[in-house]
Amino acid sequence: MTEQRNFRSAYLEKVGIKGVEEKKSLEILLNEQPLDIIKLNQFCIRFPVPASHRSYLWKVLLDVLPVHQASHQYVGEQRQQQYDDLHEALEAMCKIDETSPLHEVHLKMFLVENGLLPFNQSGMMSDVRNRIFTSVTTAMSEVTEDQTDIYWLSTKFYKLQLKHTEILPEMVGRVDFYLKKEDGDGHLCEHLMKLKAYQHLHFTDWFSSCFASILPMPSLARIWDKIIGGSYKILVFVAVAMLLTLKRPILSMKTISNVEQYLSQIPDDNGDIIVNKAVELWHKHGCLLLPVTTRGNSPVITDKVYS
């Protein structure tokens, strides 16, 4: 049965019909009562998420909406009411107006909601956490046009990232580990070592923002599918793939500041190349099927323990 399915999928992709079976499978999962979070996480990890279903799927997995579809309308109305209340409060305090950029509005709403809005906002963007949040909400605006959904998806995704703060230093070390494995002639690793790249490049910021503002949407959305599905460490392979893909121009640069500037302005047409390479490396080094003993016998992909 598996071989037959793989044959059909390969044939459909060759004739230009890509992901048909996966899309049908996802629609079946989204019609279950209640929604099964483990199965949906597994889908995100194993298959490409159709863009038409991404916003809804993310809302369920990030707990913007509950697993019981009968409650979706009520919860959606409550989310909208809370959004409107936060927006009106900022307007009443003269903190925003109709000319305020959406990412700035959403940042201030998040800060108000969490009791963190500073009295003096002139230096608000000097806080790296605020810059990360605005980069996330700006990227999220390319996933959905609904302003309320943008806000709630951004806040939930940002909070999901905060849970992994403690492993960021380890992840930077893993970039060097896997790059040495994949850099065939070793020239890139040697060049980065001479430039002291691991001391100066903003790996931690890249991981904290999940490459928002570094890689373009919708390419990056495919990586965020995996993160939301449960594999935060795929970001290690995004960094490795980015450096390998841009190896030639990086080798031509004499200073670390040139490398930093170049990596902050990656051409959009490199987005898919980097993401495809990252997923390939992740499958090669970073994901593992493990049985779930508490929920039947279905396999779930988890991050492999680094060796």
Side-chain angles (χ1 to χ4, degrees), residues 18-32 35 40 43-44 47-62 65 72 140 142-144 149 153 221 224-225 228:
K18 190 174 182 180
V20 172
E21 291 191 0
E22 285 77 8
K23 184 176 181 179
K24 289 182 179 178
S25 298
L26 177 58
E27 289 173 349
I28 291 172
L29 292 176
L30 292 176
N31 284 323
E32 288 188 351
L35 298 169
L40 292 173
F43 185 93
C44 281
F47 304 111
V49 175
S52 58
H53 294 66
R54 179 170 281 129
S55 176
Y56 176 68
L57 180 58
W58 285 9
K59 283 193 286 185
V60 171
L61 293 180
L62 289 171
L65 292 176
H72 283 187
M140 202 66 76
E142 297 188 47
V143 176
T144 176
D149 286 348
L153 285 170
W224 286 16
D225 289 336
I228 292 171

Side-chain angles (χ1 to χ4, degrees), residues 120-136:
N120 184 354
Q121 298 170 50
S122 60
M124 192 170 60
M125 295 312 297
S126 62
D127 189 325
V128 66
R129 294 168 296 182
N130 292 341
R131 295 200 301 272
I132 289 170
F133 183 89
T134 56
S135 67
V136 168

